[in-house]
Amino acid sequence: MRSTVLAAAAALMITGAPAVQATPGPAVPKIAWTACGPEHPGFECASVEVPLDYDDPRGATTSVALARKPATDGARRIGSLFLNPGGPGGSGVNFALGAGDTLSANLQGRFDIVEFDPRGVGRSDPLHCFASEEDLGKFFEGIPGFPYRAEQERPFFDRYRSLGPECRDDQEIARHMSTADVARDMDLLRRAVGDAKISYLGFSYGSFLGATYANLFPRNIRALVIDGVLDPELWSSGRQVESDRIATKEEFREFLRTCDEARCAFGPQSEKRWDALLASVRAKPIELGGQVFTYDAVINAAIGAMYSPSDWPDAAAFFDQLSDASLGLSVTAEPDYPNGFDSYNGNVCADIEFPRSFGAYQAVSRYAATGSEFGPAWWWGNAACANWPTNPDRYTGPWRTRTSAPVLVVGNHFDGITDFRGAQAANRQLAGSRLLAYAGWGHTAYGVSKCATDHTNAYLLNGTLPAAGTVCPANPNPFLPSAASAEPLFEPTRR
């Protein structure tokens, strides 16, 4: 962020020069909490104004919506716990309203559970690229979920590239949606709730927000947990594809292995059936239950299942039906719209400098495809940023800092969305941090692994870190009936 303050000492070095007065910082907002409504008993909501541009902290503002579940043990209240569910573009308010009771109980009622919709998201001055939800739907007409044939690539690129002007023209918020500004908002909210230092739990993209906060405000941390961790160096540099091209494959191979082990619906020899299914659907879409499934739809269904192993039995049954169908066997079977797609791109394109040319996207897609069948699906959506300038106030590192309290970094051995290497990288970058591993599958560990959940709760409540090298054991095979108890308490918003 551009510096707007000159040190008074520098001015005094010039004989007779008056001291330069520091520019006033942003005003700390006063939060007027009110009941969220009868449909959300026990929760309070509010909206505050924060600086649109922190280079002009007393200038134009933007609104940020909040929700909280007040501490139920007031006598032992620690403070506020800020959350981020992921995305980017996920609604923190919705996440708090859905998971706040569970989190409050997990933490003995000793925190106010506080969430906010990041600027440009949901209820916080939302970025809208389309006049209506109908127009949003029309945007996707005629193009695949991602291009998997050469002739699809140029139309897909041109359609996604058109988002830049559509989203940013005439919308001030589009020019101020960097994660660094969200971190600055969060620090202002910390001050507004009266906490001397922050307590934070961030999932998926929320790990990048947590890492950004840690580097911008390293002395303001009481307890900070990141779970399902993006390597901030990869993410901020636009090199996340290096992880994406192999991470989903690594977890999906575990899906196939445990499927065969448990004799699931897609087994036996599920890997051979998967390869045959992809070859069939790439050659010709499959009709099932009155719907037509294309190659990109099958790949995206597999990626979606990797978020939560509790979905694996249903995914295996779906792939079994598709496989049978491919063989010809009988099978039964104001603008005011959710702005997750718009705000995802608004934040990603604000943070990351992606290529501009069609040829560059083609080249990276080939590289992604050599990693796995899932690589291109992750890559092509970045074409939305091909004609979208980054925000000047974004933060791109350095990512190495020492914080006032150690950061707890949680990573799953088989996380197909943010792989374990991301957690290892963040652990190296954040001096004094502690890495907690979960030897199982899926995206994030809190609420899935009792061991990881207990360690996270102990750290947030008491500052107690797990012993160095702690690895929480995997839950039972997701295809076995005993795995039903391992379903997540809640699921973070998808990256």
Side-chain angles (χ1 to χ4, degrees):
M1 192 160 122
R2 297 188 304 273
S3 175
T4 57
V5 181
L6 295 176
L12 290 172
M13 291 175 65
I14 304 174
T15 304
V20 177
Q21 297 299 312
T23 302
V28 178
K30 293 182 179 180
I31 307 178
W33 296 104
T34 59
C36 293
E39 67 275 21
H40 300 295
F43 285 86
E44 298 173 334
C45 291
S47 180
V48 299
E49 295 297 310
V50 299
L52 179 67
D53 183 350
Y54 279 87
D55 288 328
D56 184 13
R58 298 291 177 131
T61 63
T62 186
S63 61
V64 171
L66 304 95
R68 76 170 176 179
K69 166 76 175 180
T72 56
D73 187 348
R76 298 193 303 151
R77 179 182 176 276
I78 294 171
S80 296
L81 175 66
F82 286 87
L83 308 173
N84 184 275
S91 168
V93 168
N94 289 347
F95 186 65
L97 295 176
D101 285 327
T102 298
L103 278 165
S104 179
N106 281 0
L107 296 167
Q108 304 171 13
R110 297 183 64 191
F111 285 98
D112 293 343
I113 305 299
V114 178
E115 231 327 354
F116 64 99
D117 283 355
R119 51 174 57 210
V121 176
R123 300 168 179 83
S124 295
D125 193 6
L127 172 69
H128 280 114
C129 304
F130 307 95
S132 64
E133 191 166 11
E134 182 181 5
D135 285 349
L136 169 63
K138 289 179 180 177
F139 176 84
F140 298 105
E141 290 179 359
I143 58 171
F146 68 91
Y148 56 94
R149 301 184 189 281
E151 65 271 18
Q152 297 171 332
E153 291 178 341
R154 186 81 212 196
F156 183 96
F157 175 79
D158 288 342
R159 183 74 58 82
Y160 266 66
R161 186 178 185 273
S162 72
L163 268 178
E166 289 283 347
C167 293
R168 70 175 188 263
D169 288 356
D170 302 321
Q171 294 191 74
E172 278 294 315
I173 192 62
R175 291 180 278 278
H176 300 281
M177 285 183 64
S178 72
T179 298
D181 278 333
V182 177
R184 295 177 183 111
D185 291 343
M186 191 162 69
D187 196 61
L188 201 58
L189 295 174
R190 170 193 65 79
R191 296 168 62 190
V193 299
D195 286 359
K197 294 186 177 181
I198 201 165
S199 299
Y200 174 80
L201 174 58
F203 301 97
S204 194
Y205 159 78
S207 71
F208 181 68
L209 173 58
T212 301
Y213 184 94
N215 279 274
L216 290 177
F217 304 102
R219 312 314 303 166
N220 294 356
I221 293 171
R222 175 196 164 271
L224 191 146
V225 184
I226 51 178
D227 183 0
V229 183
L230 290 164
D231 178 346
E233 289 183 348
L234 282 187
W235 181 259
S236 63
S237 64
R239 293 164 40 232
Q240 182 63 27
V241 68
E242 294 178 20
S243 166
D244 292 340
R245 66 194 286 271
I246 55 175
T248 308
K249 175 188 71 174
E250 290 172 341
E251 186 184 357
F252 192 76
R253 295 301 178 258
E254 284 289 292
F255 165 86
L256 298 175
R257 182 187 67 78
T258 54
C259 171
D260 285 347
E261 183 181 81
R263 300 183 180 182
C264 84
F266 197 45
Q269 297 184 316
S270 59
E271 186 159 3
K272 288 185 177 179
R273 291 193 75 192
W274 172 252
D275 292 341
L277 172 60
L278 290 189
S280 176
V281 74
R282 182 184 279 275
K284 181 182 178 181
I286 298 171
E287 188 171 347
L288 174 65
Q291 291 184 271
V292 176
F293 294 92
T294 53
Y295 176 87
D296 55 302
V298 175
I299 290 291
N300 283 329
I303 291 174
M306 295 304 98
Y307 281 83
S308 175
S310 63
D311 295 334
W312 287 10
D314 288 342
F318 172 63
F319 295 144
D320 177 53
Q321 292 179 345
L322 281 176
S323 184
D324 287 347
S326 72
L327 299 174
L329 302 179
S330 175
V331 180
T332 57
E334 162 190 275
D336 185 16
Y337 61 87
N339 79 323
F341 176 73
D342 313 46
S343 56
Y344 174 91
N345 290 299
N347 178 269
V348 169
C349 300
D351 278 345
I352 303 169
E353 184 74 50
F354 281 107
R356 303 297 181 188
S357 72
F358 173 58
Y361 281 85
Q362 284 184 305
V364 175
S365 178
R366 305 295 181 265
Y367 164 75
T370 62
S372 73
E373 62 268 40
F374 304 106
W378 284 111
W379 167 249
W380 275 102
N382 298 319
C385 302
N387 189 22
W388 197 322
T390 57
N391 286 179
D393 290 339
R394 67 186 178 133
Y395 182 78
T396 59
W399 293 106
R400 298 178 184 274
T401 190
R402 180 175 291 275
T403 51
S404 53
V407 173
L408 179 59
V409 181
V410 186
N412 297 3
H413 280 179
F414 297 99
D415 185 335
I417 315 305
T418 56
D419 68 9
F420 188 61
R421 288 175 285 270
Q424 291 172 312
N427 176 228
R428 291 192 300 269
Q429 293 156 6
L430 293 163
S433 64
R434 181 64 48 84
L435 176 62
L436 173 65
Y438 166 52
W441 315 272
H443 185 41
T444 72
Y446 190 85
V448 176
S449 160
K450 183 179 185 303
C451 166
T453 302
D454 288 346
H455 279 303
T456 298
N457 292 341
Y459 168 71
L460 289 171
L461 287 167
N462 309 312
T464 305
L465 289 167
T470 298
V471 178
C472 291
N475 288 334
N477 183 315
F479 290 100
L480 297 177
S482 59
S485 61
E487 291 189 6
L489 299 176
F490 54 86
E491 294 187 26
T493 303
R494 295 184 177 184
R495 193 187 102 198

